[in-house]
Amino acid sequence: MIPEIGNFALILALCVALVQGVVSIAGAQLGIRSWMELARPSALAFFVFIGVSYGCLTYAFVTNDFSVKYVVSVSNSMLPLQYQIAAVWGGHEGSLLLWALLLGGWTLAVAHYSRNLPLEMVSRVIGVMGLISVGFLLFTLFTSNPFDRLLPAALDGRDLNPLLQDPGLIIHPPLLYIGYVGFSVAFAFAIAALLGGHMDATWARWSRPWTTVAWVFLTLGISLGSWWAYYELGWGGWWFWDPVENASFLPWLVGTALVHSLAVTEKRGGFKNWTVLLAILAFSLSLLGTFLVRSGVLTSVHAFATDPERGVFILGFLVVVIGSSLALYAWRAPKVGMGGRFQLVSRETFLLTNNVLLVVACGAVLLGTLYPLLLDSLGLGKISVGPPYFDSVFLPLMVPLIFLMGVGPMARWKQASIPDIADRLRWAGAVSIVMALILPFVMGRWSALASLGFALTFWVFASSVVNIRERMAATRKNSKAGLLARIFSLPRSYLGMHAAHIGVGVFIMGVTMVQTYEVEKDMRMEIGDTVTMGGYTFRFDGVTQIEGPNYNASRGQILVSQDGKPVTVLFPEKRTYLVQTMPMTEAAIDTGLFRDLYVSLGEPVSNGAWSVRVYYKPFVSWIWAGTAIMALGGLLAVSDRRYRIAARSRRKEAKLKTAVGGASLATEEK
Amino acid sequence: MRFLLPLGLFTVIVGFLWVGLSLNPSEVPSPFIGKPAPDFTLQQLHDPQKTFSNKDMLGKVWMFNVWASWCVACRQEHPLLVQLSRAQLFPVVGLNYKDERENALHWLREDGDPYVLSVVDKKGNIGIDYGVYGVPESFVIDKLGVIRHKVIGPLGPAELQDCVIPLVRELEKATAESPISDEVKKACA
Amino acid sequence: MRLMSSLSAVFAAVLLLQVPLLAAKEAVPMAKDPVLEKIVNEIADELRCLVCQNQTIADSDADLAVDLKSQVRDMVREGKTQDEIIDYMVQRYGDFIRYRPPMKASTYLLWVGPFLLLFVGLTVLILNLRKRRLLTGEQDAALSPEESDRLTQLLKTEKEKNKS
């Protein structure tokens, strides 16, 4: 009964989405106010229905309703409760429903936080999101309905893939999807602007915080996935350039470009066409990612739930959504104005160069990801494109980007001078070079790549410090306050930018250190055997058999000591899940600020001895700390006073029915 | 005009994705088609005293079938191979791949032996030489010892009827390394 | 339950530490020759495990990956170079086995593409910037005195509004 309610709610949600999409947009185009006013209530209704539907599916999981096909395919009665709830998005059908739920959530958020926006704009934005919902719900209902029954019911389920039974993987997909779906807001704003024909700086200001929030979630989602791979796959790799990883990385690269280009459009009114195109691309790439993951056109370690028939449907959906928006773009974009004037050397130029580099990087990843498919469909043979390719084309594109990251914030809008910037950044350059020369020797081994990595890291750090100091010197007002207080009195969006940049530096530091100075040993250990690396001694104290809720495991015990003093005890496991009988490696990690100690259990070799892999990974946690700082930077930026004040004052003005935006708008349009 | 560029690019990508949907990304074509089969001399399964070399088959069109008793998919194609051997259309030589001799002999006793003989590749070295990556695999080899076709995975009745048998017939008629007719080529593609 | 067991394990470990470490000896590496193994792994990192979804033969434990790795090991021991070993694999399994695609006619676009794209992107950017300068040159020269007065006025009122 409950699954039927869920199914019915899903159908109702589809109907509402149709109204939301068609009526709101038609209303805005025809200028019918009562139609436009339907946008907000329909967004709420959509969220309610999709929420009920999602709730029903979760209920089916929690109550072990094995008459529902989807529940049988990804759950099991022995599965712990938290994984049963997470198993809802553990397979294809449920992931789609989660997508739709999140889309509903974003739409509702737009409806709620857009009180001060012109009604026409709001109804267009909500309408576009409604049309996207229609597409997703059609896809769900026709090719992948999670509520399909299984008659007769199964006795028990086939269980959730053991790889996914992990706290990291409980939250990784939702975060990633929030990011993916979040770009639909920027997309909808762009389409609304194209439809309405009003594209100005206010448009950029409205869509900027939404874009940043989506970017934050995508950053966290990707980062969490990488962290999961690190501790779950048993050898501590954290990025494999797998097609599915690339699928999430593509919108991230374009999204990052979009965040920067929105700054140019908002502050200077320039390059609106380009910004609009990026907004369309960011979401298009999110959809393409879904297609690549779900259709099975590419082989990937993550290729669960693939089906060519679904592929045809998603491809059709892609064609409709992306094709029509690019066609709209081709039609409307030529009429958009130029925006403010600036010189060849100016912050605008640096930001645009950053955009070129990011988009080219995205193009390179896309090319590498699709190239095997391209050759195969032309009948030119089969090839594989893997990490060696991506490493060798990606790095040369990132080096200038990171360099510009230090330069860009130093340049003034409109007009800057290179000698002036060079002068102001000279000691940042000096710090970077000195560190590049010294650090490899401190670490005990010189390598060109490590040196480059350190140079970039400290270039980012030092140039940020220089920039913040300059900014503080310019605002000497409360010079008596403490340094930290003075730093935190700077605008949040400014701090956010630097936090994000410093996050990149932290990330590079982690990557450089672990790539160059990691120590790995694959040992045969008997009870009492020791192995020493990085100043730590690891002693193997044997293996015991333990029973988990739905698995059996061999658990090794390894005592780690330093200078004879115990540091920690690590318990790496080798699990065998009962239902899918899949061996899983659970590495044991002692995480530290400057190093991770990483132990994974291999196979029993002979009488009591096991093969054990021990790793010393310097600075590896900086990789994820860096991405977390980037995300924090994004959050700081959206919490800027400017948005709150702008929102508040615009709300007031809206009440007085005077167009206040018009004032700043008029100057921008000049 | 330049505003149409994104749309154009997208159309091209969609075209490739569309074609890509009907392809199998995990099937690896053999680089051996049209090249001489790698040489080997191996012990025979039934009589370890005797050896067999691929050169012994020069002048005949034959099929080289990689199998193992532990291989589930081999069970699927086995009855078809047995039928084929009864029809005596062409000789099939088996490569018993990384198997236990006892198990292999047991399998042939229970389910029938479609092979003129089987050779033993205990460590899988010859498998690597032939680029075997999934068992079963079958190679069609012509009179000059050149590999003309490779079947990856279990051989199905349709592929046998439409591709392998006509191909073997043509190869048997041919005197030198003559081209295969388009018809057969199409059926085997 | 879990907490208890890990607590007791820690306790046991501490107890063990009290006992003089009679049995303690250096563990031996799994590989007989770690230097050789390092070279083998470098090569294995470039090769794709054909039966896996998307893994190198270094990372995979599939039978074929283990066989191929031992083949690589044998060849390194025989003194074959990395190129020779990769050629050997390509002869048998085709280019599909290489994670670093070879440079040839069908892959020029793959290898050159990103840099071509960068070149085109930067050229378009520079041309665009030049053109903009010409187009916006006169029209946006500067704000007239009246205009700039109006602007400061506007900014002032906005600021006051914000304070309130």
Side-chain angles (χ1 to χ4, degrees):
Chain A
M1 187 54 199
I2 297 288
E4 275 66 38
I5 295 176
N7 199 8
F8 187 59
L10 198 59
I11 296 168
L12 284 179
L14 174 65
C15 299
V16 172
L18 264 170
V19 173
Q20 180 192 330
V22 177
V23 177
S24 326
I25 293 181
Q29 294 310 101
L30 302 172
I32 306 171
R33 200 176 165 81
S34 59
W35 288 17
M36 290 192 255
E37 275 167 351
L38 262 180
R40 284 203 177 92
S42 59
L44 179 64
F46 177 77
F47 184 73
V48 169
F49 286 131
I50 199 83
V52 167
S53 181
Y54 190 86
C56 290
L57 187 59
T58 311
Y59 181 83
F61 270 87
V62 174
T63 56
N64 290 317
D65 186 346
F66 295 118
S67 66
V68 177
K69 215 167 159 186
Y70 178 61
V71 179
V72 176
S73 67
V74 287
S75 186
N76 184 275
S77 54
M78 280 197 301
L79 196 64
L81 181 67
Q82 72 271 26
Y83 294 124
Q84 285 189 335
I85 294 168
V88 175
W89 60 78
H92 169 77
E93 289 86 346
S95 310
L96 279 179
L97 197 60
L98 179 66
W99 242 93
L101 177 74
L102 294 171
L103 190 54
W106 278 101
T107 317
L108 191 64
V110 171
H112 183 75
Y113 290 105
S114 63
R115 300 228 180 82
N116 40 53
L117 262 61
L119 182 61
E120 223 184 283
M121 184 81 180
V122 177
S123 52
R124 283 200 184 101
V125 171
I126 294 180
V128 171
M129 295 181 79
L131 291 181
I132 299 169
S133 307
V134 170
F136 260 91
L137 290 194
L138 282 177
F139 182 40
T140 313
L141 282 167
F142 284 110
T143 71
S144 3
N145 192 331
F147 297 106
D148 279 350
R149 291 283 197 172
L150 185 71
L151 286 173
L155 287 176
D156 209 332
R158 290 200 295 269
D159 206 3
L160 183 63
N161 185 341
L163 273 172
L164 307 182
Q165 294 184 29
D166 176 271
L169 258 236
I170 291 184
I171 38 177
H172 158 69
L175 282 180
L176 201 63
Y177 291 170
I178 294 175
Y180 274 169
V181 182
F183 282 135
S184 72
V185 181
F187 171 82
F189 268 102
I191 297 298
L194 287 172
L195 280 174
H198 306 296
M199 213 182 307
D200 44 46
T202 45
W203 161 74
R205 172 170 286 198
W206 290 330
S207 45
R208 208 173 159 193
W210 295 103
T211 311
T212 311
V213 173
W215 178 88
V216 166
F217 278 107
L218 192 57
T219 308
L220 290 175
I222 296 175
S223 161
L224 204 65
S226 141
W227 184 55
W228 167 82
Y230 168 71
Y231 67 74
E232 191 74 351
L233 296 183
W235 71 94
W238 51 274
W239 190 257
F240 306 96
W241 295 107
D242 182 80
V244 168
E245 289 172 335
N246 294 351
S248 64
F249 195 40
L250 294 170
W252 188 86
L253 286 168
V254 170
T256 309
L258 177 61
V259 166
H260 290 89
S261 111
L262 275 170
V264 183
T265 308
E266 187 201 359
K267 290 263 169 62
R268 303 278 309 136
F271 285 86
K272 294 166 197 149
N273 280 334
W274 174 244
T275 308
V276 164
L277 183 60
L278 283 181
I280 295 175
L281 282 184
F283 184 59
S284 301
L285 288 168
S286 304
L287 289 181
L288 181 72
T290 314
F291 171 80
L292 293 180
V293 179
R294 300 285 162 211
S295 65
V297 295
L298 300 170
T299 7
S300 146
V301 262
H302 305 266
F304 50 98
T306 58
D307 179 347
E309 190 183 318
R310 288 169 183 167
V312 173
F313 199 107
I314 314 182
L315 191 61
F317 183 51
L318 283 186
V319 169
V320 172
V321 176
I322 306 176
S324 61
S325 47
L326 288 177
L328 181 69
Y329 174 79
W331 176 38
R332 288 295 181 117
K335 297 178 189 85
V336 174
M338 293 287 275
R341 180 192 179 207
F342 58 87
Q343 293 296 318
L344 263 187
V345 179
S346 62
R347 188 184 288 193
E348 285 91 327
T349 305
F350 286 123
L351 281 170
L352 288 166
T353 315
N354 138 310
N355 268 224
V356 170
L357 288 166
L358 282 167
V359 171
V360 169
C362 172
V365 176
L366 186 66
L367 186 70
T369 310
L370 292 184
Y371 210 82
L373 179 75
L374 199 143
L375 281 193
D376 198 9
S377 34
L378 292 175
L380 292 174
K382 289 223 171 180
I383 61 159
S384 304
V385 180
Y389 169 81
F390 290 106
D391 288 342
S392 49
V393 299
F394 203 68
L395 188 67
L397 293 172
M398 286 300 109
V399 173
L401 185 72
I402 308 297
F403 174 74
L404 283 182
M405 225 166 72
V407 179
M410 304 297 289
R412 292 189 180 86
W413 293 106
K414 282 193 200 172
Q415 186 170 15
S417 117
I418 287 180
D420 169 56
I421 295 173
D423 184 50
R424 283 152 66 207
L425 278 175
R426 62 171 192 266
W427 81 258
V431 167
S432 144
I433 291 170
V434 168
M435 286 314 226
L437 293 177
I438 290 178
L439 269 187
F441 288 102
V442 174
M443 293 303 296
R445 189 159 57 86
W446 190 85
S447 103
L449 273 182
S451 218
L452 177 68
F454 292 135
L456 292 174
T457 305
F458 285 93
W459 169 251
V460 171
F461 290 164
S463 59
S464 275
V465 170
V466 169
N467 194 266
I468 293 172
R469 276 187 52 156
E470 277 188 7
R471 180 87 176 225
M472 287 201 302
T475 53
R476 262 282 148 82
K477 272 182 276 170
N478 40 1
S479 54
K480 274 179 196 148
L483 181 69
L484 274 182
R486 275 166 63 208
I487 289 179
F488 282 110
S489 66
L490 293 169
R492 294 249 187 107
S493 61
Y494 174 79
L495 288 177
M497 168 187 79
H498 278 299
H501 287 182
I502 287 171
V504 174
V506 171
F507 171 82
I508 303 173
M509 182 73 170
V511 176
T512 308
M513 279 290 193
V514 79
Q515 298 294 77
T516 323
Y517 301 108
E518 176 187 75
V519 186
E520 172 191 351
K521 281 185 182 170
D522 193 1
M523 307 302 276
R524 176 187 186 279
M525 295 184 102
E526 284 172 31
I527 292 180
D529 276 3
T530 58
V531 53
T532 305
M533 61 168 70
Y536 294 91
T537 304
F538 299 77
R539 193 186 71 195
F540 181 62
D541 290 336
V543 169
T544 48
Q545 298 302 319
I546 58 163
E547 267 179 40
N550 56 346
Y551 60 84
N552 293 325
S554 309
R555 190 170 73 169
Q557 178 176 318
I558 282 156
L559 176 78
V560 183
S561 54
Q562 191 177 26
D563 306 325
K565 286 184 208 104
V567 177
T568 181
V569 184
L570 295 174
F571 300 101
E573 290 179 13
K574 192 100 190 167
R575 290 183 185 167
T576 307
Y577 282 81
L578 300 178
V579 178
Q580 300 202 347
T581 60
M582 194 170 152
M584 288 284 306
T585 310
E586 289 280 318
I589 306 170
D590 181 52
T591 302
L593 186 53
F594 298 112
R595 92 285 175 280
D596 273 16
L597 306 174
Y598 187 113
V599 178
S600 73
L601 198 60
E603 303 291 331
V605 197
S606 56
N607 47 6
W610 283 69
S611 81
V612 181
R613 280 197 197 182
V614 189
Y615 298 81
Y616 173 79
K617 289 173 179 285
F619 286 77
V620 68
S621 51
W622 286 42
I623 292 174
W624 303 286
T627 52
I629 296 171
M630 286 185 226
L632 185 73
L635 288 180
L636 269 175
V638 277
S639 70
D640 192 83
R641 265 176 97 232
R642 184 157 51 103
Y643 294 114
R644 280 171 289 149
I645 287 168
R648 217 183 302 141
S649 68
R650 256 182 278 138
R651 214 170 303 153
K652 263 184 208 158
E653 296 299 325
K655 272 181 197 157
L656 294 167
K657 290 194 176 175
T658 53
V660 114
S664 55
L665 210 144
T667 45
E668 296 270 8
E669 270 173 348
K670 268 243 102 167
Chain B
M1 216 21 239
R2 66 199 165 103
F3 292 106
L4 275 171
L5 204 66
L7 188 60
L9 262 175
F10 174 68
T11 316
V12 173
I13 292 181
V14 166
F16 282 121
L17 293 178
W18 173 252
V19 181
L21 275 175
S22 59
L23 302 170
N24 176 3
S26 55
E27 191 175 301
V28 188
S30 173
F32 285 113
I33 308 293
K35 296 210 180 103
D39 289 337
F40 63 83
T41 305
L42 288 172
Q43 272 183 354
Q44 295 188 13
L45 177 67
H46 289 276
D47 186 353
Q49 305 301 320
K50 284 190 198 156
T51 60
F52 169 82
S53 161
N54 59 315
K55 288 185 189 129
D56 300 345
M57 296 302 280
L58 282 176
K60 284 180 199 153
V61 181
W62 56 296
M63 188 156 94
F64 191 38
N65 174 262
V66 187
W67 66 281
S69 64
W70 47 260
C71 147
V72 184
C74 301
R75 236 163 256 278
Q76 199 182 321
E77 70 169 5
H78 199 77
L80 189 69
L81 290 179
V82 174
Q83 266 184 356
L84 178 69
S85 73
R86 288 207 187 109
Q88 296 201 321
L89 291 172
F90 51 85
V92 180
V93 175
L95 179 73
N96 187 227
Y97 179 73
K98 296 183 73 174
D99 209 350
E100 294 299 326
R101 183 159 184 268
E102 284 312 305
N103 298 345
L105 288 173
H106 180 76
W107 152 292
L108 294 181
R109 267 199 307 274
E110 293 288 303
D111 295 324
D113 185 351
Y115 307 107
V116 289
L117 60 93
S118 277
V119 287
V120 178
D121 184 20
K122 183 85 177 137
K123 286 189 173 164
N125 292 336
I126 301 306
I128 291 180
D129 267 348
Y130 274 77
V132 171
Y133 67 92
V135 193
E137 289 185 10
S138 315
F139 299 83
V140 176
I141 300 171
D142 71 10
K143 289 191 261 185
L144 297 168
V146 174
I147 296 178
R148 304 305 286 257
H149 183 63
K150 179 180 179 186
V151 180
I152 297 165
L155 179 68
E159 189 168 15
L160 180 67
Q161 281 301 332
D162 301 339
C163 160
V164 176
I165 293 176
L167 176 68
V168 171
R169 290 225 171 97
E170 279 192 19
L171 292 172
E172 274 171 347
K173 268 183 236 154
T175 41
E177 205 183 323
S178 59
I180 305 168
S181 73
D182 290 344
E183 217 173 294
V184 173
K185 255 189 203 162
K186 214 173 161 191
C188 290
Chain C
M1 205 31 233
R2 241 190 154 176
L3 183 72
M4 280 298 288
S5 65
S6 45
L7 269 182
S8 62
V10 172
F11 189 62
V14 172
L15 269 185
L16 271 174
L17 196 77
Q18 308 299 318
V19 182
L21 304 174
L22 289 176
K25 62 171 170 58
E26 272 290 307
V28 281
M30 282 298 287
K32 283 186 192 112
D33 183 352
V35 182
L36 178 95
E37 206 55 23
K38 211 176 155 224
I39 304 170
V40 170
N41 271 326
E42 263 167 35
I43 298 171
D45 253 337
E46 298 257 326
L47 298 172
R48 180 177 195 147
C49 163
L50 293 104
V51 289
C52 315
Q53 289 288 1
N54 185 14
Q55 271 185 309
T56 65
I57 65 171
D59 293 341
S60 170
D61 291 327
D63 278 347
L64 181 72
V66 174
D67 287 354
L68 289 180
K69 209 166 21 178
S70 77
Q71 181 73 27
V72 171
R73 194 174 295 121
D74 291 346
M75 293 180 78
V76 173
R77 219 174 268 144
E78 285 162 22
K80 296 265 168 43
T81 65
Q82 174 161 354
D83 286 346
E84 283 169 337
I85 297 173
I86 287 180
D87 277 349
Y88 172 91
M89 291 296 172
V90 170
Q91 265 171 29
R92 280 155 184 77
Y93 294 97
D95 287 332
F96 189 74
I97 201 168
R98 296 186 67 175
Y99 265 128
R100 187 192 299 274
M103 260 288 203
K104 57 186 202 185
S106 62
T107 57
Y108 283 149
L109 183 64
L110 176 68
W111 283 104
V112 182
F115 303 101
L116 194 72
L117 210 60
L118 180 65
F119 177 75
V120 171
L122 289 179
T123 317
V124 168
L125 177 67
I126 289 168
L127 290 180
N128 238 313
L129 292 176
R130 287 248 166 93
K131 201 175 77 187
R132 276 177 70 84
R133 222 154 52 122
L134 292 177
L135 281 178
T136 55
E138 292 100 55
Q139 169 202 48
D140 194 53
L143 295 175
S144 64
E146 301 94 85
E147 278 175 325
S148 69
D149 275 356
R150 221 183 102 224
L151 181 66
T152 36
Q153 202 62 40
L154 276 169
L155 288 174
K156 224 186 200 170
T157 49
E158 269 222 44
K159 246 184 210 163
E160 273 155 18
K161 263 179 217 145
N162 293 347
K163 270 178 203 156
S164 62

